Amino acid sequence: MCVPHLRLEAFYIPAHEIIYSLVLEFGDKRKPIEFVLLKQALKDRNQLEEIGGPEYLSDLYNFVPTAANVGYYIDIVRKEYVLRRLISAYNRLSTQCYDQQWEIEQLLDEAEKEIFAITGEHVTTEIVPTKELVMEAIEPN
């Protein structure tokens, strides 16, 4: 099973974090991700009511239109998570600026660290074997 991973904290609603964690666990164990199995696992862990009960799980399970668009939904969750983190970082920085307890250089360093922490998670580096690059260079287009 191929599951694009999101951080658990990417979910705004705690119930979604719990359910996603369980879905990942099922995937790791190669268990089918079915409503009845999810419901029973949540019940066994005393988390069924914590996520809103069987009705909420059922509504959520029936709401997702198709797995074919999973990449699109993941992008939405990631975008919203990044936006929440940016808002939080800027609120902290704004408070620090108004408090004027730090030197300007310290504030700038702190701002840079905050933003880099957010953007650094989304930078990916693709390693391409040298052989592929050489073959690309010598093959006619």
Side-chain angles (χ1 to χ4, degrees):
M1 177 177 150
C2 178
V3 178
H5 287 276
L6 291 168
R7 292 172 163 251
L8 291 177
E9 62 268 16
F11 293 94
Y12 183 72
I13 299 172
H16 295 175
E17 183 178 323
I18 291 168
I19 294 165
Y20 181 69
S21 176
L22 187 58
V23 166
L24 289 178
E25 184 182 316
F26 274 33
D28 289 344
K29 293 179 180 177
R30 303 211 185 283
K31 290 173 74 172
I33 301 168
E34 298 176 347
F35 173 78
V36 173
L37 296 175
L38 287 172
K39 183 177 110 180
Q40 188 59 50
L42 289 165
K43 185 176 179 183
D44 293 347
R45 296 171 185 203
N46 296 317
Q47 292 181 310
L48 187 58
E49 294 308 315
E50 187 178 345
I51 63 112
E55 299 82 15
Y56 183 78
L57 182 63
S58 177
D59 288 347
L60 188 61
Y61 200 83
N62 291 323
F63 172 75
V64 179
T66 175
N69 297 325
V70 70
Y72 176 74
Y73 301 127
I74 287 173
D75 286 344
I76 291 171
V77 173
R78 279 190 183 136
K79 176 185 170 198
E80 296 299 319
Y81 173 57
V82 168
L83 289 173
R84 286 193 307 276
R85 289 189 63 202
L86 282 170
I87 290 167
S88 178
Y90 282 116
N91 284 338
R92 277 191 304 278
L93 291 167
S94 175
T95 299
Q96 291 169 349
C97 288
Y98 283 114
D99 287 347
Q100 296 183 6
Q101 294 179 1
W102 294 24
E103 294 295 322
I104 192 71
E105 291 80 15
Q106 288 176 305
L107 284 169
L108 290 170
D109 285 345
E110 187 65 21
E112 185 178 335
K113 286 177 192 172
E114 292 265 0
I115 299 305
F116 184 73
I118 295 168
T119 60
E121 292 177 11
H122 303 285
V123 174
T124 58
T125 304
E126 182 181 347
I127 299 173
V128 180
T130 305
K131 181 180 178 181
E132 284 184 30
L133 293 173
V134 170
M135 293 306 290
E136 257 183 54
I138 61 174
E139 286 179 1
N141 289 339

